[in-house]
DNA sequence: TAGTAGCC
DNA sequence: CACT
């Protein structure tokens, strides 16, 4: 089953509990090798989410701006893309290319992400695929410009959202995490994986 | 001063 | 609203 939220197709209950558990294990391995960090934004503030990446490119930011890098801030190459994430992309993205980046965002109960566009990628014909694991998150979607109407939906563990076509540049963000709404992650919180082509 | 992967 |  899927729903349309501001042009973004959200596949609900797309991943089995088994697949979610395996994906969590693959993410754990990545985080052990490439520790979570809290990027600084161009404004000088630190983001509330912690993040790391897998694949050829990882997303990061600092006072110099938002961008993709080939290495973790500690100097290592990013670990390989988690195999299940690649399977999911091939199932839902509808394009011939494979993703080059898997951004892993970790939200604790207080973490949020303001409305923003994903526009650090070269080819806007390539969709962005977002996978939710763990606690539920209030996801808000607007249009391609700031200030318009927005819609919200609670994303649950295992949901997969595809932001493509007309929705590729829609503003979106996370307003709230519902703590303890899932038992998938032993220590609670939410993991979001975002798969993208970068260059 | 305008804009904000913000903050309350 | 406060920060850059």
């Amino acid at each position: 089953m899927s729903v349309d939220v501001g042009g973004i197709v959200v596949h609900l209950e797309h991943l089995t509990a088994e697949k979610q558990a395996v994906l969590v294990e693959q993410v754990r391995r990545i985080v052990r090798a490439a520790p979570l960090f809290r990027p600084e934004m161009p404004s000088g503030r630190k983001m509330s989410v912690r993040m790391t990446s897998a694949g050829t490119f990882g997303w990061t930011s600092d006072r110099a701006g938002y961008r993709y890098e080939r290495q973790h801030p500690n100097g290592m190459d990013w670990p390989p893309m988690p195999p299940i994430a690649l399977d999911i992309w091939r199932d839902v993205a509808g394009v011939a290319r494979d993703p080059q980046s898997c951004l892993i965002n970790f939200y604790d109960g207080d973490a949020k992400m303001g409305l923003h566009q994903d526009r650090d990628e070269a080819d806007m014909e390539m969709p962005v695929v977002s996978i939710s694991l763990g606690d539920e998150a209030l996801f808000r979607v607007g249009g391609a410009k700031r200030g318009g109407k927005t819609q919200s939906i609670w994303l649950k563990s295992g949901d997969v959202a595809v932001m493509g076509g007309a929705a590729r540049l829609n503003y979106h963000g996370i307003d709230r995490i519902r703590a303890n709404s899932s038992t998938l992650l032993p220590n609670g919180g939410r993991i979001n994986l975002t798969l993208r082509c970068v260059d």
Side-chain angles (χ1 to χ4, degrees):
Chain A
M1 168 183 141
S2 65
V3 295
D4 187 295
V5 190
I8 296 174
V9 178
V10 180
H11 301 261
L12 301 170
E13 316 283 334
H14 186 77
L15 301 179
T16 63
E18 168 76 19
K19 258 193 180 177
Q20 292 179 50
V22 173
L23 194 44
V24 167
E25 194 41 55
Q26 293 178 358
V27 168
R28 265 190 218 300
R29 194 159 57 244
I30 290 164
V31 170
R32 272 201 300 272
L36 295 168
F37 58 96
R38 211 146 68 93
E40 198 168 30
M41 292 176 285
S43 67
R45 288 184 164 98
K46 288 216 164 190
M47 296 184 60
S48 58
V49 303
R50 293 186 295 151
M51 62 177 60
T52 188
S53 288
T56 308
F57 294 96
W59 188 88
T60 189
S61 81
D62 58 22
R63 286 190 200 90
Y66 308 131
R67 65 190 176 279
Y68 288 93
E69 292 281 1
R70 294 185 124 94
Q71 280 91 29
H72 186 279
N74 74 8
M76 68 178 286
D77 286 353
W78 303 104
M81 179 85 52
I84 292 207
L86 188 55
D87 292 343
I88 294 164
W89 171 279
R90 289 172 176 169
D91 283 347
V92 305
V95 294
R97 290 182 72 182
D98 277 341
Q100 298 170 296
S101 176
C102 174
L103 174 62
I104 297 166
N105 282 325
F106 179 79
Y107 293 77
D108 65 22
D110 298 321
K112 295 182 269 294
M113 189 169 293
L115 282 178
H116 67 280
Q117 285 177 309
D118 286 17
R119 56 175 177 190
D120 302 317
E121 302 77 30
D123 186 354
M124 294 302 163
E125 302 303 309
M126 296 297 108
V128 174
V129 173
S130 163
I131 304 164
S132 294
L133 296 169
D135 285 339
E136 295 166 20
L138 187 57
F139 180 62
R140 187 150 56 98
V141 185
K145 293 191 306 188
R146 284 194 184 277
K149 287 177 193 161
T150 63
Q151 295 178 57
S152 293
I153 185 178
W154 281 98
L155 293 178
K156 294 180 165 55
S157 192
D159 289 347
V160 177
V162 181
M163 313 183 60
R168 177 63 178 75
L169 285 167
N170 282 2
Y171 277 85
H172 58 281
I174 295 294
D175 286 339
R176 188 151 82 83
I177 299 296
R178 192 135 69 192
N180 307 312
S181 53
S182 163
T183 55
L184 183 71
L185 305 175
N187 294 319
R190 171 177 186 257
I191 292 168
N192 180 69
L193 306 183
T194 43
L195 307 173
R196 302 180 180 95
C197 294
V198 172
D199 63 10

